[in-house]
Amino acid sequence: SPSTIAGYLDYFKNQILPRWSKVALDDVKAVEVEKWLRGLDLANGTKAKIRNHLSALFNHAIRHELYTRLNPISTVRQSAVRERDPDILTLDELKATIATIESPAIRLMVLVAATTAVRRSELRGLQWQDVDLDGLHLKLRRGLFRKQQTRLKTKASRKPVPILQDLANALRTWRQETPYPGDTDWVFASPYTNGKRPYWAESALVDHIRPAAAKAGVKKHLSWHVFRHSVASLLGQNGEDVKVVQELLRHATSWITIEVYQQAKHDAKR
C-alpha cells in the first residue's frame, strides 16, 4: 500500500542509508547493527522495523545473487516490545473530549472513530455513498493516505461496519448542513480545499482534538489510533465476546485483538 511504501522509503532515507550506504554488504556485521540500533533514539517497535527492512534488503540481495552468504541480519537481536502501552480513554474522557471540540465536522469525525473503531485512513476515505443511514452501517471501500487512495488492508477490513442509530442521526444532520452532500463527496470534506479533499487527520488532531482534550482535563496523549484501542479495551472490559470485538475492529485474527489492542481494567485484575 502507499503507506507501507512511504514507510520503507522514510526509514531508508532517514536512518539506514546515512549509516550503511557506503558499507560493503560483506562488511555488515550483526553485532555492529545491534550496537547501531541501540544508539538510535527511537521506540523499540520502530527499531525492530528498521531491522526488518535491513533484513529484507539482504534477502533481495541473496535472491538476485548479489550476496552469497547467510543473511547477517537474521541474528540481530532487537526487541519489538512496547516500552509503554498506548493510552486508553475512559468513556467519561471520550465524552468530555468530544463535547469540547468546537468544529462540528471534527467533532463528528471523532464520534465516528470513537464508536466504530475505523482507521484514520478509512475515516478520511468515507464518501456519502458509503454511508447507509437506513441500514445502519458503513460500507468501507477505500482509505486515503495523505493524497493517495488506498485499498483496504484485508478481506476482513472490507466488511460492513455497524453504526448506532444516534450516530446515523448525527451523520444525517451533518449531510444536511455540509456544503458537500453529494454521493461522491467526502463525508468530512475540508472547506480549505473546496471539498476536493477531506480534512487532514494530523492537523485535526493538533489544532482541534488535543486542545479540546486538554481543555476537558484529559491529560492522556491522544492519537487517532487511541480511539481504536479505546473501543477494543472498553468492549473487552464490558465482557463482550472476543469474536464480536475482533469483527468490529476487522482484525484478521482474534490474537491481534487480544494481545495488541485490548487492555484489562485494574479493578478487574484486583
Side-chain angles (χ1 to χ4, degrees), residues 95-155:
K95 289 179 180 178
T97 298
I98 292 170
T100 313
I101 298 172
E102 296 181 0
S103 166
I106 305 300
R107 188 189 313 122
L108 187 56
M109 282 182 74
V110 175
L111 188 60
V112 173
T115 56
T116 66
V118 296
R119 300 175 178 91
R120 175 177 62 178
S121 61
E122 297 166 344
L123 189 64
R124 295 188 69 230
L126 268 182
Q127 294 179 349
W128 285 114
Q129 62 182 341
D130 308 326
V131 181
D132 187 340
L133 296 175
D134 297 319
L136 296 179
H137 63 260
L138 307 176
K139 293 176 282 189
L140 301 179
R141 294 186 173 97
R142 73 196 70 75
L144 203 64
F145 174 71
R146 296 176 183 169
K147 296 181 181 179
Q148 292 180 295
Q149 285 196 36
T150 66
R151 294 177 298 174
L152 300 185
K153 293 179 70 174
T154 62
K155 181 180 179 181

Side-chain angles (χ1 to χ4, degrees), residues 179-180 188-195 197 199:
Y180 313 105
F188 302 109
S190 170
Y192 303 109
T193 61
N194 294 320
R197 287 192 297 274
Y199 281 95

